[in-house]
Amino acid sequence: MKIHAIESGNFKLDGGAMFGVVPKSIWNKTNPADVNNQIELAARCMLIEEGNRLILIDTGMGNKQSEKFFGYYSLWGEHSLDNSLQKLGFHKDDITDVFMTHLHFDHCGGSVVWNKDRTGYEVAFKNATFWTNQNHWEWATQPNAREKASFLSENILPMQESGQLKFVERPKGDFGFASELGFDIFYADGHTEKQMIPHINYNGKTIVFMADLLPTAGHIPLPYVMGYDTRPLLTLPEKEKFLRTAAQNNFYLWLEHDAHNQIITVEETEKGVRLKETFTCADILI
């Protein structure tokens, strides 16, 4: 097995929204804001190369939205999904599976592109199977008012229309093995219904793709919960359960949204679980 980091683009969001009830005087120390109160974020996807399969976890925002839309997110940097794949010698047509942790636009927007004459949309990975779970699919395609702006139909419905969409078989509890993909998944409901957090066994290490359960290293303390979470009081016990397990088992946490910390480990302290070490992807993916 080989694992690769796919940097699909950088953007910014309001720091207050990203840290909920935590005062700026605290979160600004770890995630400094610009003059517009926005903090720097990443869309760091993961590519798993194993045998004849290339599994891409999340796809970033994509590039099909309007200039006005992207203006809200202050895009910065030179990264893109296509360029990151090309640097590794791959093309979108080589991808066999696209696993989406959830269907918010910054996690699945790159899964769908304009068609050739820009009259409609088509899937970006024509040879891939697209994976979500049925509970989350129903949640995303019948969105509540709070999340409606994050679930964009043009990002979602073309996957079903292509005939390439499949659902991961869910366990009865919140943790199970996805035999279709070869890795374990922790299911979390605080951010959105049935967000999937993959656990990948790699060279004797467990690498966990954190998605929005832990957006940045600055979000480790339990009360540091995003204002975007639909059930913040449920995020608290989910984070506590996961972070304790991560500390006890020395999991390597792949931070999808942290622009400056790629992979971290955590440890138990008198104040609770806290940051232990930081790594670049190059440190771990040897």
Side-chain angles (χ1 to χ4, degrees):
M1 175 190 286
K2 294 182 181 179
I3 293 178
H4 308 280
I6 301 295
E7 301 284 357
S8 69
N10 294 331
F11 61 104
K12 295 183 180 182
L13 287 177
D14 183 84
M18 284 297 294
F19 282 90
V21 300
V22 180
K24 180 178 180 180
S25 58
I26 296 177
W27 59 254
N28 199 55
K29 296 175 183 177
T30 57
N31 298 72
D34 64 14
V35 295
N36 295 315
N37 207 50
Q38 293 184 316
I39 64 173
E40 295 182 343
L41 297 171
R44 183 174 301 109
C45 309
M46 178 188 286
L47 183 67
I48 302 173
E49 182 181 0
E50 185 168 26
N52 60 357
R53 297 181 78 176
L54 277 176
I55 303 171
L56 181 63
I57 300 179
D58 281 356
T59 60
M61 286 190 186
N63 57 14
K64 66 183 176 296
Q65 305 302 328
S66 68
E67 184 177 346
K68 180 180 178 181
F69 177 91
F70 287 124
Y72 296 132
Y73 303 102
S74 303
L75 305 187
W76 60 279
E78 302 299 324
H79 294 308
S80 75
L81 180 61
D82 287 343
N83 287 345
S84 292
L85 287 172
Q86 186 177 18
K87 287 178 181 178
L88 294 170
F90 297 121
H91 184 272
K92 285 180 178 178
D93 294 351
D94 299 323
I95 304 299
T96 62
D97 301 87
V98 176
F99 177 88
M100 294 160 292
T101 60
H102 58 299
L103 295 169
H104 286 168
F105 70 87
D106 55 320
H107 294 260
C108 75
S111 299
V112 175
V113 295
W114 285 105
N115 62 16
K116 187 173 295 185
D117 56 9
R118 295 181 69 88
T119 59
Y121 304 101
E122 63 186 17
V123 293
F125 305 92
K126 66 180 184 181
N127 297 316
T129 299
F130 294 85
W131 297 94
T132 182
N133 65 76
Q134 188 163 3
N135 295 71
H136 184 66
W137 178 264
E138 293 172 357
W139 184 267
T141 54
Q142 303 172 49
N144 59 75
R146 182 182 174 90
E147 285 183 278
K148 190 173 184 179
S150 293
F151 290 128
L152 306 180
S153 60
E154 63 266 31
N155 284 340
I156 299 172
L157 297 182
M159 289 184 278
Q160 184 181 53
E161 293 164 358
S162 73
Q164 295 168 232
L165 179 71
K166 290 188 179 181
F167 296 136
V168 175
E169 186 174 344
R170 279 194 53 238
K172 292 182 179 179
D174 59 10
F175 193 85
F177 180 70
S179 58
E180 306 94 334
L181 293 151
F183 49 71
D184 292 312
I185 298 172
F186 176 61
Y187 293 83
D189 295 313
H191 179 61
T192 188
E193 177 75 9
K194 296 298 176 287
Q195 177 183 203
M196 297 189 288
I197 308 298
H199 291 51
I200 298 97
N201 292 321
Y202 174 79
N203 288 347
K205 303 178 178 69
T206 298
I207 300 178
V208 185
F209 188 90
M210 294 307 302
D212 282 337
L213 181 61
L214 190 72
T216 76
H219 286 85
I220 293 173
L222 290 182
Y224 293 30
V225 173
M226 291 191 294
Y228 299 109
D229 284 18
T230 58
R231 307 177 181 112
L233 293 181
L234 185 53
T235 298
L236 289 172
E238 289 175 342
K239 273 181 67 177
E240 182 174 26
K241 177 180 180 179
F242 174 82
L243 288 174
R244 284 185 172 175
T245 302
Q248 292 166 2
N249 293 279
N250 199 39
F251 289 168
Y252 290 80
L253 310 184
W254 181 291
L255 301 180
E256 183 172 12
H257 284 320
D258 195 318
H260 305 290
N261 299 287
Q262 297 180 336
I263 297 175
I264 64 171
T265 55
V266 294
E267 62 183 350
E268 291 273 10
T269 74
E270 293 180 355
K271 294 182 178 180
V273 175
R274 292 292 185 269
L275 178 67
K276 182 180 180 183
E277 293 182 276
T278 61
F279 305 89
T280 67
C281 293
D283 293 331
I284 303 301
L285 306 180
I286 56 175

